[in-house]
Amino acid sequence: MIDEDVAPVSVVQRHEPGHFLSDMLAQLKETQRVAHVGSWEHRLLSAQQDWSDEACRLLGYEPGSVQPSFRRFLHRLYPDDRAGVFATMRNAVRHGLSLMLVFRVRWPEGEMHYVRVQGQLDSGDMGPVRWAGTIQDITHSKRAEQERDLMFEQVCAGRERMQALSQRLLQVHEAACREIARDLHDEIGQELTALRMSLEAMGQAQDSGAAAKSLTDSLAVVDQMLRHVRDLALDLRPSMLDDLGLVATLKWYVARQGERCGWRV
C-alpha cells in the first residue's frame, strides 16, 4: 500500500511551476521558429529592448549574439525604408496608436527580407511607456504579390497593345474601303459611262460600219472593265493565297506592284 503522504518524485516535478514555465517557453520558441514570427518589447523610458530568438533571426542576428537595441534594429533596416518607419513610429507615439509596419531588412550576407511588425503602445500616467508586439517574415508572400503585380502589368500592357493593334487594323480596313470606293467611282464608273456612250452611238449609227466600230469600242471597254474588276478582286484577296500559301502570294504581290510602279525587284 502506497503512503498517501509521500507522492512520487516524477509527479511532483511534473507539476512544479518552474518546470511548467520552462516547458511553455520552449514550446513558444519552437512555435515562433516554425511560424517565422518573433516577439519584441521596447521600453520607452529606458530605451531597453527585448527580442525573442526568432525576432533576432528575422533581423539577421544569431540569438544571444548581440544585446537588443534600437541602434541594432536600425542597422538592419533597409536605408530606403528608414524615413517611412520613423514617420510611422512618431505618429503612433504622438497619437497613441497601434503600430503596423512593413519594411525590408538586410541580413549580413546581403539577402533582403520583408517583415511585418505589429505593436501595441502601453501608456501610463505620464504617457506612453512601452511598445510590445510581433515581427513576422512575409518575404514569400511579398514576392508572390510582386510577381502578381508584374503579371497584371504585363496583362495590361498586352491589352493596350491589342487595343492599339485593333485600332490599327480598323484604320487599315477603313483605308482599304476608301480605296475600293475610289476605284469603283473613278475607273469602273468612267468605263461604264464610256460603255453607255458607245452603246448610244451604236444605236444611233446610220450604217453598219459605224455600228461595228461602236460595237468594237464597247467590247474593248468591257474587256478593260473586266481587267479592273479582276485586279480589284486580286487586291482584296488573291486566290493563290489559299492554293499556294502566304510566302508565294507575297512574292507574287511584290512582283505585281513592281510592274505597276516600274520597280526592279
Side-chain angles (χ1 to χ4, degrees):
M1 183 175 179
I2 299 176
D3 189 347
E4 295 181 354
D5 294 332
V6 180
V9 174
S10 60
V11 175
V12 174
Q13 291 178 345
R14 187 178 299 118
H15 290 85
E16 285 182 357
H19 286 277
F20 179 76
L21 180 59
S22 177
D23 290 343
M24 291 296 294
L25 289 175
Q27 292 178 12
L28 177 60
K29 288 182 179 181
E30 180 63 16
T31 301
Q32 289 188 353
R33 186 189 66 81
V34 173
H36 299 294
V37 177
S39 57
W40 56 272
E41 179 181 351
H42 177 69
R43 291 177 288 278
L44 298 176
L45 299 180
S46 63
Q48 292 181 341
Q49 292 196 2
D50 290 321
W51 301 343
S52 69
D53 289 352
E54 188 61 21
C56 288
R57 295 189 189 97
L58 295 180
L59 292 174
Y61 296 106
E62 285 296 325
S65 62
V66 296
Q67 177 65 36
S69 66
F70 190 65
R71 180 179 62 84
R72 288 194 168 90
F73 166 74
L74 293 181
H75 182 67
R76 288 289 188 254
L77 192 61
Y78 198 73
D80 293 345
D81 294 344
R82 288 177 182 172
V85 170
F86 286 158
T88 302
M89 294 180 67
R90 284 195 299 266
N91 183 68
V93 172
R94 185 178 299 113
H95 298 94
L97 303 175
S98 58
L99 188 66
M100 209 294 285
L101 292 168
V102 173
F103 54 88
R104 293 165 291 181
V105 294
R106 186 167 53 191
W107 287 11
E109 298 82 4
E111 186 178 358
M112 187 177 66
H113 288 253
Y114 285 88
V115 297
R116 178 189 292 117
V117 169
Q118 294 177 286
Q120 189 68 34
L121 185 63
D122 296 335
S123 300
D125 296 337
M126 303 299 293
V129 295
R130 185 179 75 103
W131 283 107
T134 60
I135 178 172
Q136 180 182 10
D137 190 339
I138 59 169
T139 303
H140 293 299
S141 61
K142 193 67 176 178
R143 288 175 180 170
E145 178 183 344
Q146 291 173 344
E147 291 178 0
R148 184 181 67 246
D149 292 343
L150 178 59
M151 292 179 61
F152 180 75
E153 292 176 359
Q154 292 175 344
V155 169
C156 291
R159 183 178 300 173
E160 291 177 357
R161 288 194 295 269
M162 287 296 295
Q163 290 176 348
L165 179 59
S166 298
Q167 184 67 25
R168 178 57 183 160
L169 289 175
L170 181 60
Q171 293 173 354
V172 171
H173 175 72
E174 292 176 350
C177 290
R178 287 193 298 268
E179 184 70 20
I180 293 172
R182 184 170 59 250
D183 289 344
L184 290 174
H185 179 270
D186 294 345
E187 296 185 8
I188 297 181
Q190 292 177 8
E191 291 166 357
L192 286 172
T193 301
L195 178 61
R196 182 176 182 276
M197 294 173 62
S198 179
L199 292 174
E200 287 179 350
M202 184 175 61
Q204 296 173 1
Q206 299 298 324
D207 53 52
S208 59
K213 184 178 184 306
S214 296
L215 179 60
T216 302
D217 293 340
S218 299
L219 292 174
V221 171
V222 171
D223 290 340
Q224 189 173 1
M225 287 177 58
L226 288 174
R227 286 195 298 271
H228 286 159
V229 170
R230 185 169 59 251
D231 290 343
L232 187 59
L234 288 174
D235 287 340
L236 288 174
R237 183 177 176 81
S239 59
M240 67 174 59
L241 186 62
D242 298 320
D243 300 332
L244 303 179
L246 179 61
V247 175
T249 303
L250 286 175
K251 291 181 178 179
W252 167 84
Y253 186 79
V254 170
R256 184 167 177 267
Q257 292 298 111
E259 291 177 0
R260 286 181 176 181
C261 302
W263 303 338
R264 297 187 61 182
V265 181

